[in-house]
Amino acid sequence: MFRRSGHKDPFEHAGAVIAPDPDMALMMAKECFVRRREGDHLWVVRRSDVHSFEDESILEIAADKSYRFASAYRDVIQKREKALARAREIEHQS
Amino acid sequence: MTYEEKLARFTAKIEDGGKVETEDWMPDDYRRGVLKFIEMHANSEIMGALPERECLPSAPSLRRKMSLAAKIQDEVGHAQLLYRVAEDLGKSREAMYADLINGRSKFHNVFHYPVHHWGDVALIGWLIDGAALVTQAALRESSYAPYTRVLKRICAEEQLHLRHGEDITLELASGTDHQRWMFQDALDRWWLAIIHFFGPRSNVEKDLLLRWKVKTRTNEDLRQEFLDRYVPKIFELGFTLPTPVPFHDKSSGHWLLNEEDIDWGPLDSIKKNEGPETERRLAWRKQMYDDHRWVREAMAEPAIHVA
């Protein structure tokens, strides 16, 4: 069972029910998982229709791709200082 | 319920800050307006990848090349996220691709211009992504909820692109005279286009998208935020700006432009898809679309396992 808890969020897996068909599954999901307005939308998907990797280690990043992370640009303060010093040096020359 | 009753209910919901989902009832002009707006955003992400793609061979190091390639990959991904949202409003992805390559739909003005050298990568990454982030961050409050959900990821990635662009800019700014010239040259060529990027003053009375809160802020408001945030940083690094030159207004604390200094002519041509690089880039996009047809076809069929 996938549930969306508001307009800002995507659907997330939030539980499972046992039911003979989709209509009944939706009804069960509503009764079990949306008792206190936890969601404004529900999806049910047959478990056998969910696929996953046999070996989840395939999700690890294969090579150095640190430039995909903000941490690669952490030294921006020092770099800005260096650029400002260079700008002052040029101003001085002219 | 009559159409008028539905419309009154919808209007009240929007006034009240309510959000619209794909399956909700919406007036036709809302649907058309949102679709056109998101389609244009999607087109701009895909066309926006091209100028940077052109710059890849001039990357100064392997690491710079890889990080730029990763950024281009992100932009193309944004287009896919956005086409998905647009598609649900009733226009097929095929039709949107076709309208783009045949020049029947629009994409952002800045992607109609040529790139000259690596200085353009710094400028695009820092200032054009910076301008885009100002507008996209505002759109996260849009009344069309599926759009705001994809903007969450898009803005997070744009934030990274901004840091990437600033990193390259600072490298050029702290470098040799030639490196500094590269950024200055890019600034001189791009400044007017960046000012155009936000569009002319919004007509609040007539702008349906503002009225339906699909857009939440006026063009001039967004441009002002951009100027206040970036102009002091540009000057601080010792660079200069061409016409329209911003000036600091002490009483308001804002960086302002003389509106009569802004030549809107180039933007008018681009609106007709007659920008300096429009034809060439659309032809390139068409060629890629045609060349990659076999990939789309191959991906449309399940794999056949040969023993």
Side-chain angles (χ1 to χ4, degrees):
Chain A
M1 187 277 288
F2 293 82
R3 184 176 68 190
R4 191 181 66 202
S5 51
H7 294 292
K8 283 185 185 284
D9 299 309
F11 280 83
E12 278 183 6
H13 183 246
V17 293
I18 298 170
D21 58 51
D23 285 343
M24 192 61 92
L26 278 168
M27 195 53 73
M28 295 290 283
K30 169 185 178 290
E31 293 306 325
C32 296
F33 298 106
V34 197
R35 286 181 189 166
R36 296 176 184 83
R37 286 190 222 106
E38 291 95 335
D40 63 358
H41 247 75
L42 286 186
W43 284 344
V44 289
V45 177
R46 209 189 311 246
R47 203 177 180 85
S48 59
D49 285 337
V50 176
H51 304 273
S52 64
F53 285 117
E54 246 168 65
D55 177 6
E56 303 286 354
S57 70
I58 198 169
L59 297 174
E60 283 163 23
I61 300 173
D64 174 18
K65 292 184 182 173
S66 53
Y67 47 78
R68 282 207 178 127
F69 298 87
S71 53
Y73 303 107
R74 215 179 262 152
D75 52 355
V76 66
I77 295 168
Q78 291 90 311
K79 285 182 177 164
R80 195 178 295 130
E81 282 306 319
K82 202 176 149 197
L84 292 176
R86 180 80 175 102
R88 280 193 297 272
E89 185 187 300
I90 289 168
E91 200 185 27
H92 215 68
Q93 282 166 5
S94 58
Chain B
M1 213 188 294
T2 65
Y3 181 84
E4 283 70 27
E5 282 166 346
K6 284 183 187 167
L7 183 63
R9 212 190 217 194
F10 182 85
T11 309
K13 177 164 106 172
I14 297 287
E15 294 285 307
D16 200 35
K19 303 293 177 193
V20 181
E21 294 290 349
T22 318
E23 61 274 14
D24 296 346
W25 184 88
M26 60 187 94
D28 291 344
D29 58 359
Y30 183 91
R31 181 183 297 276
R32 267 195 303 269
V34 175
L35 171 59
K36 199 172 161 197
F37 190 77
I38 300 176
E39 182 180 358
M40 198 257 197
H41 187 175
N43 289 345
S44 302
E45 296 279 1
I46 212 159
M47 295 306 290
L50 300 186
E52 291 185 306
R53 168 65 186 81
E54 288 170 31
C55 290
L56 260 186
S58 54
S61 66
L62 182 58
R63 186 163 173 92
R64 287 289 189 209
K65 186 172 277 189
M66 286 165 75
S67 60
L68 182 60
K71 184 195 167 187
I72 295 168
Q73 187 186 29
D74 283 347
E75 306 291 9
V76 175
H78 296 170
Q80 298 302 328
L81 294 170
L82 291 160
Y83 281 127
R84 179 84 275 285
V85 173
E87 204 171 29
D88 282 345
L89 288 162
K91 182 171 177 180
S92 75
R93 201 177 280 235
E94 284 293 317
M96 290 189 275
Y97 288 153
D99 279 355
L100 174 63
I101 54 184
N102 293 313
R104 283 194 296 260
S105 53
K106 305 270 185 281
F107 57 101
H108 261 310
N109 73 309
V110 284
F111 307 124
H112 293 255
Y113 287 93
V115 284
H116 292 189
H117 47 67
W118 187 249
D120 294 60
V121 174
L123 184 128
I124 294 170
W126 189 37
L127 296 179
I128 292 181
D129 281 53
L133 195 55
V134 168
T135 61
Q136 289 168 12
L139 288 166
R140 280 187 300 187
E141 303 305 317
S142 172
S143 61
Y144 191 59
Y147 188 35
T148 66
R149 288 195 290 270
V150 294
L151 280 168
K152 236 192 239 184
R153 170 170 173 187
I154 292 174
C155 287
E157 289 179 350
E158 292 295 349
Q159 194 79 46
L160 180 78
H161 298 167
L162 182 66
R163 284 162 169 267
H164 167 254
E166 188 182 20
D167 195 81
I168 300 174
T169 303
L170 292 175
E171 185 173 72
L172 295 180
S174 5
T176 61
D177 288 350
H178 183 71
Q179 282 175 304
R180 288 185 58 89
W181 170 84
M182 286 170 97
F183 190 73
Q184 183 63 60
D185 176 59
L187 259 183
D188 292 342
R189 281 182 285 111
W190 286 93
W191 183 244
L192 182 62
I194 296 175
I195 299 305
H196 289 162
F197 177 83
F198 297 92
R201 275 185 172 275
S202 295
N203 185 337
V204 184
E205 305 296 304
K206 281 195 177 159
D207 195 328
L208 270 182
L209 293 176
L210 276 174
R211 207 173 71 206
W212 294 122
K213 298 192 182 177
V214 176
K215 293 194 290 188
T216 55
R217 290 167 59 189
T218 61
N219 293 347
E220 56 275 19
D221 185 23
L222 295 166
R223 179 163 37 238
Q224 192 57 56
E225 181 181 330
F226 173 81
L227 291 171
D228 290 338
R229 196 180 288 184
Y230 289 96
V231 169
K233 291 187 182 178
I234 295 166
F235 284 155
E236 197 178 57
L237 293 172
F239 295 109
T240 58
L241 288 169
T243 314
V245 184
F247 61 92
H248 194 243
D249 179 57
K250 287 215 170 57
S251 59
S252 66
H254 288 305
W255 286 90
L256 303 178
L257 300 172
N258 281 321
E259 300 218 4
E260 59 273 24
D261 287 350
I262 307 173
D263 171 12
W264 294 99
L267 185 64
D268 293 335
S269 313
I270 284 170
K271 278 183 184 161
K272 289 181 270 175
N273 270 341
E274 290 168 5
E277 289 282 1
T278 317
E279 208 183 318
R280 193 183 60 81
R281 291 231 172 90
L282 284 179
W284 191 21
R285 171 71 201 130
K286 182 178 184 326
Q287 190 202 327
M288 279 191 243
Y289 188 67
D290 293 342
D291 288 352
H292 297 169
R293 182 173 303 279
W294 70 272
V295 180
R296 291 192 297 278
E297 286 171 2
M299 292 298 288
E301 298 291 332
I304 300 165
H305 296 282
V306 181

